[in-house]
Every structure is written in C-alpha cells, then in structure tokens.
C-alpha cells in the first residue's frame, strides 16, 4: 500500500522552496524564480500547495473559475501520485473559494502532464496555437469542480 502524499498550503514563507522545485522541473528560461513566486502569491486569488516529497502547484481563483498557473514534481518523486494529490488539493480549495470550473493550459508536447490532467477528469475545451516559446500549441483543458457536476470526471 502506498502512503498518501503529505500536502500543505504554500504561503509567503515559501517562495524559495517553490522556485527550487520549479527550477528542477523546467528549462532555465521557463523556470520561475523566488521573486516571481512571491509576486504571484501576493496577487488576489492566487494560492498554492506544496508536497513534502518535492512538488508544488500555484493556482488562481476569480469569481466562479479557477486556473492552474503552474505545477511541478521533482523527477525523483514522480509517478507516486504527488501531481494528482496537488491537483486534487487545489481543486478542493478552489471549490471552497466559490469556483465551479477549473482550467489550465498544457503543451501538446507534454504527454506526462496531459496524462495526469486527463486522469484527474480534465477534457479539452480549446487550443491556443503556437502558445509556447518552442512553438508548441497549448491545449486548454477544463473540468467541473462541484460533486454534482460529473462533466469530464473519469
Ligand atoms: C506532470 C507532472 C507534474 C506529473 O507529476 P507526477 O507526480 O509524476 O504525477 P502522478 O504520479 O500524480 O501521476 C498521476 C497519473 O498521471 C499519469 N501520468 C503521470 N506521469 C506520466 C507519464 N510520465 N507517462 C504517462 N502517464 C503519466 C498517469 O495516469 C498517472 O497515474 P499512474 O502513475 O497510476 O499511472 C510531472 O511529470 C512534472 O513535474 N513534469 C514537469 C513539469 C510539468 O510538465 N508540469 C506541468 C505543466 S502543464
């Protein structure tokens, strides 16, 4: 039996750990440094979670919609359910803040992230052409957050 990942809220004390995880998971030009993390966390509606084993998620809630801004799990900690646990924690919190739908963008070239999001109930609702610096398109994915809304749930 696997242990449930330990997940905690990320706050203003955590920009450095958030940035450290991000730097291990994204290319140099795409990683967010501690000042970016701090700036994001100071924005209205932005919240985050950290996984003790080495994962992070930042999201924004505005009115009845929430979006995933970024998600990262250290290479050594992957395929242990941490990414899914972070998405689930963020979904629960967004729902508690009044959001009814969750959105995100993911590169067409990012198969692991697409697989994770689809396993968490997200389905494609749009596409943004040449959205990323490498020229890849972004898929816009969405899922309902309310338990009564079974749209897109697995
Ligand atoms: C995408 C990412 C966050 C996934 O984190 P993770 O902790 O490994 O994901 P989980 O263990 O929770 O995976 C949950 C499910 O997603 C799918 N999945 C995750 N990684 C996968 C992979 N490499 N290949 C295929 N399916 C994968 C599987 O269905 C998996 O369930 P399973 O392990 O029982 O088969 C991680 O690979 C990562 O940080 N990548 C680099 C940064 C990134 O791409 N962030 C997302 C930007 S949109």
């Amino acid at each position: 039996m696997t242990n449930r990942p330990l997940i905690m809220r990320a706050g203003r004390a955590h920009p450095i750990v958030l940035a450290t995880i991000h730097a291990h998971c994204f290319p140099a030009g795409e990683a967010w440094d501690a000042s970016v993390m701090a700036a994001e966390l100071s924005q209205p509606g932005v919240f985050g979670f950290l996984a003790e084993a080495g994962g992070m998620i930042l999201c924004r809630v505005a009115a009845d919609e929430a979006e995933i801004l970024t998600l990262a799990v250290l290479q050594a900690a992957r395929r242990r359910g941490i990414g899914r646990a972070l998405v689930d924690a963020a979904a629960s919190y967004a729902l508690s803040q009044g959001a009814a739908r969750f959105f995100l963008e993911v590169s067409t070239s990012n198969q692991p992230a697409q697989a994770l999001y689809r396993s968490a109930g997200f389905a494609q609702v749009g596409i943004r052409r040449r959205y990323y610096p490498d020229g890849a398109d972004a898929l816009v994915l969405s899922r309902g957050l309310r338990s009564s809304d079974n749209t897109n749930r697995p």
Side-chain angles (χ1 to χ4, degrees):
M1 196 171 112
T2 54
N3 293 326
R4 282 182 74 169
L6 183 58
I7 305 291
M8 67 202 87
R9 277 291 299 279
R12 293 185 184 195
H14 299 120
I16 292 174
V17 67
L18 290 167
T20 301
I21 294 168
H22 217 251
H24 278 89
C25 297
F26 289 94
E30 296 174 29
W32 297 3
D33 66 19
S35 66
V36 173
M37 295 295 178
E40 288 290 343
L41 282 167
S42 70
Q43 294 295 313
V46 173
F47 64 91
F49 286 90
L50 276 164
E52 186 188 44
M56 57 79 67
I57 190 168
L58 285 188
C59 304
R60 179 191 295 115
V61 63
D64 62 352
E65 292 185 356
E67 65 173 318
I68 296 177
L69 301 174
T70 192
L71 167 69
V73 174
L74 294 180
Q75 182 84 49
R78 291 180 189 166
R79 297 308 292 270
R80 287 200 259 141
I82 294 167
R84 176 64 187 269
L86 286 163
V87 170
D88 288 349
S92 295
Y93 184 77
L95 178 65
S96 78
Q97 299 302 296
R101 286 205 77 79
F102 216 2
F103 292 86
L104 62 90
E105 281 129 4
V106 60
S107 172
T108 50
S109 63
N110 192 341
Q111 300 301 329
Q114 285 184 47
L116 162 62
Y117 295 135
R118 293 190 195 282
S119 82
F122 287 85
Q124 185 177 344
V125 293
I127 188 163
R128 298 192 205 283
R129 300 287 178 198
R130 302 188 64 79
Y131 182 78
Y132 292 102
D134 66 358
D137 296 339
L139 303 179
V140 183
L141 307 186
S142 176
R143 63 169 264 201
L145 288 170
R146 297 188 179 124
S147 56
S148 58
D149 177 2
N150 287 320
T151 310
N152 302 337
R153 297 309 306 272

